[in-house]
Amino acid sequence: MRSKNLLSRLRWIATALPLALLGLSACAEDDNPLAPYQGGRAMSRLVADSTSHVPKMTWLGGYVAALGVNRGERAALDSTLVWLISAADDEIRFPATFGQVPAGAQDLTGQYGGQRLERLVEDNIYTYWVIKAEAWRQIVSLQNRTLILDQSPGAANVTARNDTVFLSPMVHTQENQPLDVFVNIRDVRPLGRLGLISVRQPTLNPSIVISWSITQAGVTDSSISVLGLINAQQYQETGKLWEVWSVDSTGGQTVFGGKNVISSPLSLGQQLGETRVFIEFPAEGLQRDADYYFWIANKDWDRQGRLRSTNFYAYVTFRTW
């Protein structure tokens, strides 16, 4: 009986051991961080940081020989390039930072008629793309042709047809997206008798610029004495975000709002001379998807009226997104 049991156990071990070793081998391969790049892994998930004007870019599928950024929704070796770098082989690593040429690479932006930017421009759409060395060597001279990601089954790595170059995911990936770092402005509605207020959306820095032109008959001074910002679409005491009054200390008595000292234009939160800040502008700035009411008045305002017909007073409402 013992001999039969021993023989059964030996047979079980002989059968199970190869399977266990095979499982260990598979686990070791899966745990190897280099394994995804062996055997030709497809490229995918190119991501650029949309919160920076010098974004970092990363992707899946291994290192590459070329990385390009075009203005607009089309990848190409043409004048829409704002940055293009290449290396002799697949030596460009991720993450790559816009404008920083890594060791072993060179900048080729101008070679194709592009104009290199130091930083990307707010509210523009850009196309980011990367390509492997085996494909890059075939297309490096194909100027002004659109680069298309061809994901059809069995697609060749590189196919040039008329004005288009089709590239398979094994050698190429691309992504286009808008650059939207700053809060955007919409639905600007200026009202009031004193003047016309404009709100300018930022493109180079996060500051929103306010300017005005005086339109009320008989008013010749273009400066104002008081301003305020409220988180609402109409004036209310709650939700005040910024409030500044001029200071006049002539005669030994301090008078607020009695002197026109604030000139156009100005940035929200800007430090202004000869004024007292009663409510500090929030350090985080304006929020997205919010309503705002900005108002101004000059020294002749009665300090009470806030209607469209109120003398020496004007306001503007706007929304952010």
mmCIF file with all atom_site columns, all heavy atoms in Angstrom, residues 113-133:
data_model
loop_
_atom_site.group_PDB
_atom_site.id
_atom_site.type_symbol
_atom_site.label_atom_id
_atom_site.label_alt_id
_atom_site.label_comp_id
_atom_site.label_asym_id
_atom_site.label_entity_id
_atom_site.label_seq_id
_atom_site.pdbx_PDB_ins_code
_atom_site.Cartn_x
_atom_site.Cartn_y
_atom_site.Cartn_z
_atom_site.occupancy
_atom_site.B_iso_or_equiv
_atom_site.pdbx_formal_charge
_atom_site.auth_seq_id
_atom_site.auth_comp_id
_atom_site.auth_asym_id
_atom_site.auth_atom_id
_atom_site.pdbx_PDB_model_num
ATOM 1   N N   . GLY A 1 113 ? 10.945 74.709 -41.989 1.00 0.00 ? 113 GLY A N   1
ATOM 2   C CA  . GLY A 1 113 ? 10.225 75.971 -42.101 1.00 0.00 ? 113 GLY A CA  1
ATOM 3   C C   . GLY A 1 113 ? 9.456  76.362 -40.855 1.00 0.00 ? 113 GLY A C   1
ATOM 4   O O   . GLY A 1 113 ? 8.748  77.376 -40.851 1.00 0.00 ? 113 GLY A O   1
ATOM 5   N N   . GLY A 1 114 ? 9.571  75.569 -39.797 1.00 0.00 ? 114 GLY A N   1
ATOM 6   C CA  . GLY A 1 114 ? 8.886  75.890 -38.546 1.00 0.00 ? 114 GLY A CA  1
ATOM 7   C C   . GLY A 1 114 ? 9.592  76.989 -37.784 1.00 0.00 ? 114 GLY A C   1
ATOM 8   O O   . GLY A 1 114 ? 10.736 77.340 -38.078 1.00 0.00 ? 114 GLY A O   1
ATOM 9   N N   . GLN A 1 115 ? 8.900  77.528 -36.808 1.00 0.00 ? 115 GLN A N   1
ATOM 10  C CA  . GLN A 1 115 ? 9.477  78.577 -35.968 1.00 0.00 ? 115 GLN A CA  1
ATOM 11  C C   . GLN A 1 115 ? 9.396  78.126 -34.512 1.00 0.00 ? 115 GLN A C   1
ATOM 12  O O   . GLN A 1 115 ? 8.322  77.983 -33.952 1.00 0.00 ? 115 GLN A O   1
ATOM 13  C CB  . GLN A 1 115 ? 8.740  79.903 -36.145 1.00 0.00 ? 115 GLN A CB  1
ATOM 14  C CG  . GLN A 1 115 ? 9.367  81.046 -35.360 1.00 0.00 ? 115 GLN A CG  1
ATOM 15  C CD  . GLN A 1 115 ? 8.713  82.380 -35.686 1.00 0.00 ? 115 GLN A CD  1
ATOM 16  O OE1 . GLN A 1 115 ? 7.785  82.449 -36.483 1.00 0.00 ? 115 GLN A OE1 1
ATOM 17  N NE2 . GLN A 1 115 ? 9.202  83.441 -35.072 1.00 0.00 ? 115 GLN A NE2 1
ATOM 18  N N   . ARG A 1 116 ? 10.553 77.924 -33.921 1.00 0.00 ? 116 ARG A N   1
ATOM 19  C CA  . ARG A 1 116 ? 10.595 77.415 -32.552 1.00 0.00 ? 116 ARG A CA  1
ATOM 20  C C   . ARG A 1 116 ? 10.063 78.457 -31.574 1.00 0.00 ? 116 ARG A C   1
ATOM 21  O O   . ARG A 1 116 ? 10.390 79.634 -31.658 1.00 0.00 ? 116 ARG A O   1
ATOM 22  C CB  . ARG A 1 116 ? 12.022 77.039 -32.179 1.00 0.00 ? 116 ARG A CB  1
ATOM 23  C CG  . ARG A 1 116 ? 12.168 76.594 -30.730 1.00 0.00 ? 116 ARG A CG  1
ATOM 24  C CD  . ARG A 1 116 ? 13.568 76.169 -30.413 1.00 0.00 ? 116 ARG A CD  1
ATOM 25  N NE  . ARG A 1 116 ? 13.723 75.924 -28.986 1.00 0.00 ? 116 ARG A NE  1
ATOM 26  C CZ  . ARG A 1 116 ? 14.816 75.416 -28.428 1.00 0.00 ? 116 ARG A CZ  1
ATOM 27  N NH1 . ARG A 1 116 ? 15.842 75.097 -29.190 1.00 0.00 ? 116 ARG A NH1 1
ATOM 28  N NH2 . ARG A 1 116 ? 14.882 75.229 -27.135 1.00 0.00 ? 116 ARG A NH2 1
ATOM 29  N N   . LEU A 1 117 ? 9.226  78.011 -30.656 1.00 0.00 ? 117 LEU A N   1
ATOM 30  C CA  . LEU A 1 117 ? 8.700  78.866 -29.599 1.00 0.00 ? 117 LEU A CA  1
ATOM 31  C C   . LEU A 1 117 ? 9.406  78.552 -28.292 1.00 0.00 ? 117 LEU A C   1
ATOM 32  O O   . LEU A 1 117 ? 9.763  77.403 -28.021 1.00 0.00 ? 117 LEU A O   1
ATOM 33  C CB  . LEU A 1 117 ? 7.194  78.640 -29.415 1.00 0.00 ? 117 LEU A CB  1
ATOM 34  C CG  . LEU A 1 117 ? 6.275  78.957 -30.599 1.00 0.00 ? 117 LEU A CG  1
ATOM 35  C CD1 . LEU A 1 117 ? 4.827  78.634 -30.229 1.00 0.00 ? 117 LEU A CD1 1
ATOM 36  C CD2 . LEU A 1 117 ? 6.408  80.412 -31.009 1.00 0.00 ? 117 LEU A CD2 1
ATOM 37  N N   . GLU A 1 118 ? 9.595  79.579 -27.481 1.00 0.00 ? 118 GLU A N   1
ATOM 38  C CA  . GLU A 1 118 ? 10.147 79.365 -26.152 1.00 0.00 ? 118 GLU A CA  1
ATOM 39  C C   . GLU A 1 118 ? 9.100  78.763 -25.232 1.00 0.00 ? 118 GLU A C   1
ATOM 40  O O   . GLU A 1 118 ? 9.414  78.007 -24.314 1.00 0.00 ? 118 GLU A O   1
ATOM 41  C CB  . GLU A 1 118 ? 10.675 80.679 -25.573 1.00 0.00 ? 118 GLU A CB  1
ATOM 42  C CG  . GLU A 1 118 ? 11.840 81.273 -26.341 1.00 0.00 ? 118 GLU A CG  1
ATOM 43  C CD  . GLU A 1 118 ? 13.026 80.325 -26.392 1.00 0.00 ? 118 GLU A CD  1
ATOM 44  O OE1 . GLU A 1 118 ? 13.317 79.673 -25.369 1.00 0.00 ? 118 GLU A OE1 1
ATOM 45  O OE2 . GLU A 1 118 ? 13.644 80.212 -27.472 1.00 0.00 ? 118 GLU A OE2 1
ATOM 46  N N   . ARG A 1 119 ? 7.849  79.109 -25.481 1.00 0.00 ? 119 ARG A N   1
ATOM 47  C CA  . ARG A 1 119 ? 6.719  78.583 -24.719 1.00 0.00 ? 119 ARG A CA  1
ATOM 48  C C   . ARG A 1 119 ? 5.491  78.574 -25.606 1.00 0.00 ? 119 ARG A C   1
ATOM 49  O O   . ARG A 1 119 ? 5.353  79.405 -26.505 1.00 0.00 ? 119 ARG A O   1
ATOM 50  C CB  . ARG A 1 119 ? 6.480  79.416 -23.448 1.00 0.00 ? 119 ARG A CB  1
ATOM 51  C CG  . ARG A 1 119 ? 6.439  80.907 -23.697 1.00 0.00 ? 119 ARG A CG  1
ATOM 52  C CD  . ARG A 1 119 ? 6.474  81.705 -22.410 1.00 0.00 ? 119 ARG A CD  1
ATOM 53  N NE  . ARG A 1 119 ? 5.190  81.688 -21.731 1.00 0.00 ? 119 ARG A NE  1
ATOM 54  C CZ  . ARG A 1 119 ? 5.032  81.484 -20.430 1.00 0.00 ? 119 ARG A CZ  1
ATOM 55  N NH1 . ARG A 1 119 ? 6.065  81.212 -19.678 1.00 0.00 ? 119 ARG A NH1 1
ATOM 56  N NH2 . ARG A 1 119 ? 3.840  81.530 -19.882 1.00 0.00 ? 119 ARG A NH2 1
ATOM 57  N N   . LEU A 1 120 ? 4.595  77.644 -25.380 1.00 0.00 ? 120 LEU A N   1
ATOM 58  C CA  . LEU A 1 120 ? 3.385  77.558 -26.176 1.00 0.00 ? 120 LEU A CA  1
ATOM 59  C C   . LEU A 1 120 ? 2.433  78.691 -25.820 1.00 0.00 ? 120 LEU A C   1
ATOM 60  O O   . LEU A 1 120 ? 2.499  79.265 -24.733 1.00 0.00 ? 120 LEU A O   1
ATOM 61  C CB  . LEU A 1 120 ? 2.706  76.203 -25.944 1.00 0.00 ? 120 LEU A CB  1
ATOM 62  C CG  . LEU A 1 120 ? 3.535  74.983 -26.346 1.00 0.00 ? 120 LEU A CG  1
ATOM 63  C CD1 . LEU A 1 120 ? 2.757  73.702 -26.095 1.00 0.00 ? 120 LEU A CD1 1
ATOM 64  C CD2 . LEU A 1 120 ? 3.988  75.069 -27.795 1.00 0.00 ? 120 LEU A CD2 1
ATOM 65  N N   . VAL A 1 121 ? 1.545  79.005 -26.750 1.00 0.00 ? 121 VAL A N   1
ATOM 66  C CA  . VAL A 1 121 ? 0.667  80.166 -26.620 1.00 0.00 ? 121 VAL A CA  1
ATOM 67  C C   . VAL A 1 121 ? -0.708 79.726 -26.114 1.00 0.00 ? 121 VAL A C   1
ATOM 68  O O   . VAL A 1 121 ? -1.288 78.750 -26.604 1.00 0.00 ? 121 VAL A O   1
ATOM 69  C CB  . VAL A 1 121 ? 0.528  80.903 -27.966 1.00 0.00 ? 121 VAL A CB  1
ATOM 70  C CG1 . VAL A 1 121 ? -0.394 82.109 -27.825 1.00 0.00 ? 121 VAL A CG1 1
ATOM 71  C CG2 . VAL A 1 121 ? 1.907  81.339 -28.471 1.00 0.00 ? 121 VAL A CG2 1
ATOM 72  N N   . GLU A 1 122 ? -1.196 80.450 -25.138 1.00 0.00 ? 122 GLU A N   1
ATOM 73  C CA  . GLU A 1 122 ? -2.498 80.170 -24.529 1.00 0.00 ? 122 GLU A CA  1
ATOM 74  C C   . GLU A 1 122 ? -3.619 80.109 -25.562 1.00 0.00 ? 122 GLU A C   1
ATOM 75  O O   . GLU A 1 122 ? -3.635 80.857 -26.543 1.00 0.00 ? 122 GLU A O   1
ATOM 76  C CB  . GLU A 1 122 ? -2.798 81.270 -23.503 1.00 0.00 ? 122 GLU A CB  1
ATOM 77  C CG  . GLU A 1 122 ? -4.105 81.137 -22.779 1.00 0.00 ? 122 GLU A CG  1
ATOM 78  C CD  . GLU A 1 122 ? -4.098 80.065 -21.706 1.00 0.00 ? 122 GLU A CD  1
ATOM 79  O OE1 . GLU A 1 122 ? -3.040 79.443 -21.477 1.00 0.00 ? 122 GLU A OE1 1
ATOM 80  O OE2 . GLU A 1 122 ? -5.150 79.862 -21.088 1.00 0.00 ? 122 GLU A OE2 1
ATOM 81  N N   . ASP A 1 123 ? -4.565 79.209 -25.329 1.00 0.00 ? 123 ASP A N   1
ATOM 82  C CA  . ASP A 1 123 ? -5.781 79.069 -26.134 1.00 0.00 ? 123 ASP A CA  1
ATOM 83  C C   . ASP A 1 123 ? -5.503 78.708 -27.596 1.00 0.00 ? 123 ASP A C   1
ATOM 84  O O   . ASP A 1 123 ? -6.259 79.084 -28.489 1.00 0.00 ? 123 ASP A O   1
ATOM 85  C CB  . ASP A 1 123 ? -6.639 80.339 -26.055 1.00 0.00 ? 123 ASP A CB  1
ATOM 86  C CG  . ASP A 1 123 ? -7.157 80.584 -24.652 1.00 0.00 ? 123 ASP A CG  1
ATOM 87  O OD1 . ASP A 1 123 ? -7.405 79.596 -23.936 1.00 0.00 ? 123 ASP A OD1 1
ATOM 88  O OD2 . ASP A 1 123 ? -7.307 81.755 -24.270 1.00 0.00 ? 123 ASP A OD2 1
ATOM 89  N N   . ASN A 1 124 ? -4.413 77.976 -27.830 1.00 0.00 ? 124 ASN A N   1
ATOM 90  C CA  . ASN A 1 124 ? -4.127 77.411 -29.147 1.00 0.00 ? 124 ASN A CA  1
ATOM 91  C C   . ASN A 1 124 ? -4.208 75.892 -29.060 1.00 0.00 ? 124 ASN A C   1
ATOM 92  O O   . ASN A 1 124 ? -3.981 75.310 -27.982 1.00 0.00 ? 124 ASN A O   1
ATOM 93  C CB  . ASN A 1 124 ? -2.735 77.812 -29.626 1.00 0.00 ? 124 ASN A CB  1
ATOM 94  C CG  . ASN A 1 124 ? -2.732 79.168 -30.310 1.00 0.00 ? 124 ASN A CG  1
ATOM 95  O OD1 . ASN A 1 124 ? -2.659 79.268 -31.531 1.00 0.00 ? 124 ASN A OD1 1
ATOM 96  N ND2 . ASN A 1 124 ? -2.800 80.230 -29.525 1.00 0.00 ? 124 ASN A ND2 1
ATOM 97  N N   . ILE A 1 125 ? -4.522 75.241 -30.176 1.00 0.00 ? 125 ILE A N   1
ATOM 98  C CA  . ILE A 1 125 ? -4.504 73.788 -30.232 1.00 0.00 ? 125 ILE A CA  1
ATOM 99  C C   . ILE A 1 125 ? -3.157 73.337 -30.796 1.00 0.00 ? 125 ILE A C   1
ATOM 100 O O   . ILE A 1 125 ? -2.666 73.903 -31.774 1.00 0.00 ? 125 ILE A O   1
ATOM 101 C CB  . ILE A 1 125 ? -5.654 73.260 -31.113 1.00 0.00 ? 125 ILE A CB  1
ATOM 102 C CG1 . ILE A 1 125 ? -7.003 73.576 -30.461 1.00 0.00 ? 125 ILE A CG1 1
ATOM 103 C CG2 . ILE A 1 125 ? -5.527 71.754 -31.320 1.00 0.00 ? 125 ILE A CG2 1
ATOM 104 C CD1 . ILE A 1 125 ? -8.192 73.155 -31.284 1.00 0.00 ? 125 ILE A CD1 1
ATOM 105 N N   . TYR A 1 126 ? -2.559 72.338 -30.165 1.00 0.00 ? 126 TYR A N   1
ATOM 106 C CA  . TYR A 1 126 ? -1.279 71.803 -30.612 1.00 0.00 ? 126 TYR A CA  1
ATOM 107 C C   . TYR A 1 126 ? -1.386 70.294 -30.812 1.00 0.00 ? 126 TYR A C   1
ATOM 108 O O   . TYR A 1 126 ? -2.128 69.614 -30.103 1.00 0.00 ? 126 TYR A O   1
ATOM 109 C CB  . TYR A 1 126 ? -0.173 72.118 -29.603 1.00 0.00 ? 126 TYR A CB  1
ATOM 110 C CG  . TYR A 1 126 ? 0.139  73.586 -29.505 1.00 0.00 ? 126 TYR A CG  1
ATOM 111 C CD1 . TYR A 1 126 ? -0.433 74.374 -28.515 1.00 0.00 ? 126 TYR A CD1 1
ATOM 112 C CD2 . TYR A 1 126 ? 0.987  74.205 -30.426 1.00 0.00 ? 126 TYR A CD2 1
ATOM 113 C CE1 . TYR A 1 126 ? -0.172 75.725 -28.432 1.00 0.00 ? 126 TYR A CE1 1
ATOM 114 C CE2 . TYR A 1 126 ? 1.258  75.563 -30.348 1.00 0.00 ? 126 TYR A CE2 1
ATOM 115 C CZ  . TYR A 1 126 ? 0.677  76.319 -29.349 1.00 0.00 ? 126 TYR A CZ  1
ATOM 116 O OH  . TYR A 1 126 ? 0.940  77.661 -29.280 1.00 0.00 ? 126 TYR A OH  1
ATOM 117 N N   . THR A 1 127 ? -0.636 69.801 -31.792 1.00 0.00 ? 127 THR A N   1
ATOM 118 C CA  . THR A 1 127 ? -0.552 68.360 -32.029 1.00 0.00 ? 127 THR A CA  1
ATOM 119 C C   . THR A 1 127 ? 0.837  67.884 -31.618 1.00 0.00 ? 127 THR A C   1
ATOM 120 O O   . THR A 1 127 ? 1.851  68.379 -32.120 1.00 0.00 ? 127 THR A O   1
ATOM 121 C CB  . THR A 1 127 ? -0.808 68.023 -33.502 1.00 0.00 ? 127 THR A CB  1
ATOM 122 O OG1 . THR A 1 127 ? -2.132 68.431 -33.859 1.00 0.00 ? 127 THR A OG1 1
ATOM 123 C CG2 . THR A 1 127 ? -0.674 66.529 -33.738 1.00 0.00 ? 127 THR A CG2 1
ATOM 124 N N   . TYR A 1 128 ? 0.870  66.918 -30.710 1.00 0.00 ? 128 TYR A N   1
ATOM 125 C CA  . TYR A 1 128 ? 2.111  66.340 -30.203 1.00 0.00 ? 128 TYR A CA  1
ATOM 126 C C   . TYR A 1 128 ? 2.285  64.959 -30.837 1.00 0.00 ? 128 TYR A C   1
ATOM 127 O O   . TYR A 1 128 ? 1.324  64.185 -30.923 1.00 0.00 ? 128 TYR A O   1
ATOM 128 C CB  . TYR A 1 128 ? 2.048  66.205 -28.682 1.00 0.00 ? 128 TYR A CB  1
ATOM 129 C CG  . TYR A 1 128 ? 1.686  67.487 -27.960 1.00 0.00 ? 128 TYR A CG  1
ATOM 130 C CD1 . TYR A 1 128 ? 0.349  67.855 -27.778 1.00 0.00 ? 128 TYR A CD1 1
ATOM 131 C CD2 . TYR A 1 128 ? 2.676  68.329 -27.457 1.00 0.00 ? 128 TYR A CD2 1
ATOM 132 C CE1 . TYR A 1 128 ? 0.018  69.037 -27.113 1.00 0.00 ? 128 TYR A CE1 1
ATOM 133 C CE2 . TYR A 1 128 ? 2.352  69.510 -26.791 1.00 0.00 ? 128 TYR A CE2 1
ATOM 134 C CZ  . TYR A 1 128 ? 1.017  69.856 -26.624 1.00 0.00 ? 128 TYR A CZ  1
ATOM 135 O OH  . TYR A 1 128 ? 0.682  71.020 -25.969 1.00 0.00 ? 128 TYR A OH  1
ATOM 136 N N   . TRP A 1 129 ? 3.483  64.620 -31.260 1.00 0.00 ? 129 TRP A N   1
ATOM 137 C CA  . TRP A 1 129 ? 3.700  63.315 -31.880 1.00 0.00 ? 129 TRP A CA  1
ATOM 138 C C   . TRP A 1 129 ? 5.120  62.809 -31.646 1.00 0.00 ? 129 TRP A C   1
ATOM 139 O O   . TRP A 1 129 ? 6.050  63.578 -31.451 1.00 0.00 ? 129 TRP A O   1
ATOM 140 C CB  . TRP A 1 129 ? 3.391  63.353 -33.377 1.00 0.00 ? 129 TRP A CB  1
ATOM 141 C CG  . TRP A 1 129 ? 4.099  64.406 -34.173 1.00 0.00 ? 129 TRP A CG  1
ATOM 142 C CD1 . TRP A 1 129 ? 3.701  65.686 -34.400 1.00 0.00 ? 129 TRP A CD1 1
ATOM 143 C CD2 . TRP A 1 129 ? 5.348  64.258 -34.873 1.00 0.00 ? 129 TRP A CD2 1
ATOM 144 N NE1 . TRP A 1 129 ? 4.602  66.361 -35.185 1.00 0.00 ? 129 TRP A NE1 1
ATOM 145 C CE2 . TRP A 1 129 ? 5.625  65.502 -35.492 1.00 0.00 ? 129 TRP A CE2 1
ATOM 146 C CE3 . TRP A 1 129 ? 6.256  63.220 -35.033 1.00 0.00 ? 129 TRP A CE3 1
ATOM 147 C CZ2 . TRP A 1 129 ? 6.776  65.716 -36.251 1.00 0.00 ? 129 TRP A CZ2 1
ATOM 148 C CZ3 . TRP A 1 129 ? 7.402  63.422 -35.787 1.00 0.00 ? 129 TRP A CZ3 1
ATOM 149 C CH2 . TRP A 1 129 ? 7.638  64.661 -36.398 1.00 0.00 ? 129 TRP A CH2 1
ATOM 150 N N   . VAL A 1 130 ? 5.247  61.477 -31.656 1.00 0.00 ? 130 VAL A N   1
ATOM 151 C CA  . VAL A 1 130 ? 6.540  60.818 -31.514 1.00 0.00 ? 130 VAL A CA  1
ATOM 152 C C   . VAL A 1 130 ? 6.626  59.700 -32.543 1.00 0.00 ? 130 VAL A C   1
ATOM 153 O O   . VAL A 1 130 ? 5.606  59.184 -33.013 1.00 0.00 ? 130 VAL A O   1
ATOM 154 C CB  . VAL A 1 130 ? 6.734  60.238 -30.091 1.00 0.00 ? 130 VAL A CB  1
ATOM 155 C CG1 . VAL A 1 130 ? 6.912  61.346 -29.075 1.00 0.00 ? 130 VAL A CG1 1
ATOM 156 C CG2 . VAL A 1 130 ? 5.569  59.338 -29.702 1.00 0.00 ? 130 VAL A CG2 1
ATOM 157 N N   . ILE A 1 131 ? 7.861  59.317 -32.890 1.00 0.00 ? 131 ILE A N   1
ATOM 158 C CA  . ILE A 1 131 ? 8.040  58.307 -33.924 1.00 0.00 ? 131 ILE A CA  1
ATOM 159 C C   . ILE A 1 131 ? 9.329  57.526 -33.679 1.00 0.00 ? 131 ILE A C   1
ATOM 160 O O   . ILE A 1 131 ? 10.331 58.083 -33.218 1.00 0.00 ? 131 ILE A O   1
ATOM 161 C CB  . ILE A 1 131 ? 8.044  58.963 -35.325 1.00 0.00 ? 131 ILE A CB  1
ATOM 162 C CG1 . ILE A 1 131 ? 7.995  57.913 -36.421 1.00 0.00 ? 131 ILE A CG1 1
ATOM 163 C CG2 . ILE A 1 131 ? 9.240  59.879 -35.491 1.00 0.00 ? 131 ILE A CG2 1
ATOM 164 C CD1 . ILE A 1 131 ? 7.697  58.498 -37.791 1.00 0.00 ? 131 ILE A CD1 1
ATOM 165 N N   . LYS A 1 132 ? 9.281  56.242 -33.969 1.00 0.00 ? 132 LYS A N   1
ATOM 166 C CA  . LYS A 1 132 ? 10.436 55.358 -33.800 1.00 0.00 ? 132 LYS A CA  1
ATOM 167 C C   . LYS A 1 132 ? 11.454 55.562 -34.928 1.00 0.00 ? 132 LYS A C   1
ATOM 168 O O   . LYS A 1 132 ? 11.129 56.027 -36.023 1.00 0.00 ? 132 LYS A O   1
ATOM 169 C CB  . LYS A 1 132 ? 9.972  53.904 -33.803 1.00 0.00 ? 132 LYS A CB  1
ATOM 170 C CG  . LYS A 1 132 ? 9.122  53.516 -32.604 1.00 0.00 ? 132 LYS A CG  1
ATOM 171 C CD  . LYS A 1 132 ? 9.999  53.238 -31.395 1.00 0.00 ? 132 LYS A CD  1
ATOM 172 C CE  . LYS A 1 132 ? 9.183  52.606 -30.279 1.00 0.00 ? 132 LYS A CE  1
ATOM 173 N NZ  . LYS A 1 132 ? 10.023 52.316 -29.102 1.00 0.00 ? 132 LYS A NZ  1
ATOM 174 N N   . ALA A 1 133 ? 12.704 55.128 -34.640 1.00 0.00 ? 133 ALA A N   1
ATOM 175 C CA  . ALA A 1 133 ? 13.809 55.349 -35.572 1.00 0.00 ? 133 ALA A CA  1
ATOM 176 C C   . ALA A 1 133 ? 13.570 54.694 -36.934 1.00 0.00 ? 133 ALA A C   1
ATOM 177 O O   . ALA A 1 133 ? 13.845 55.294 -37.979 1.00 0.00 ? 133 ALA A O   1
ATOM 178 C CB  . ALA A 1 133 ? 15.110 54.836 -34.960 1.00 0.00 ? 133 ALA A CB  1
#
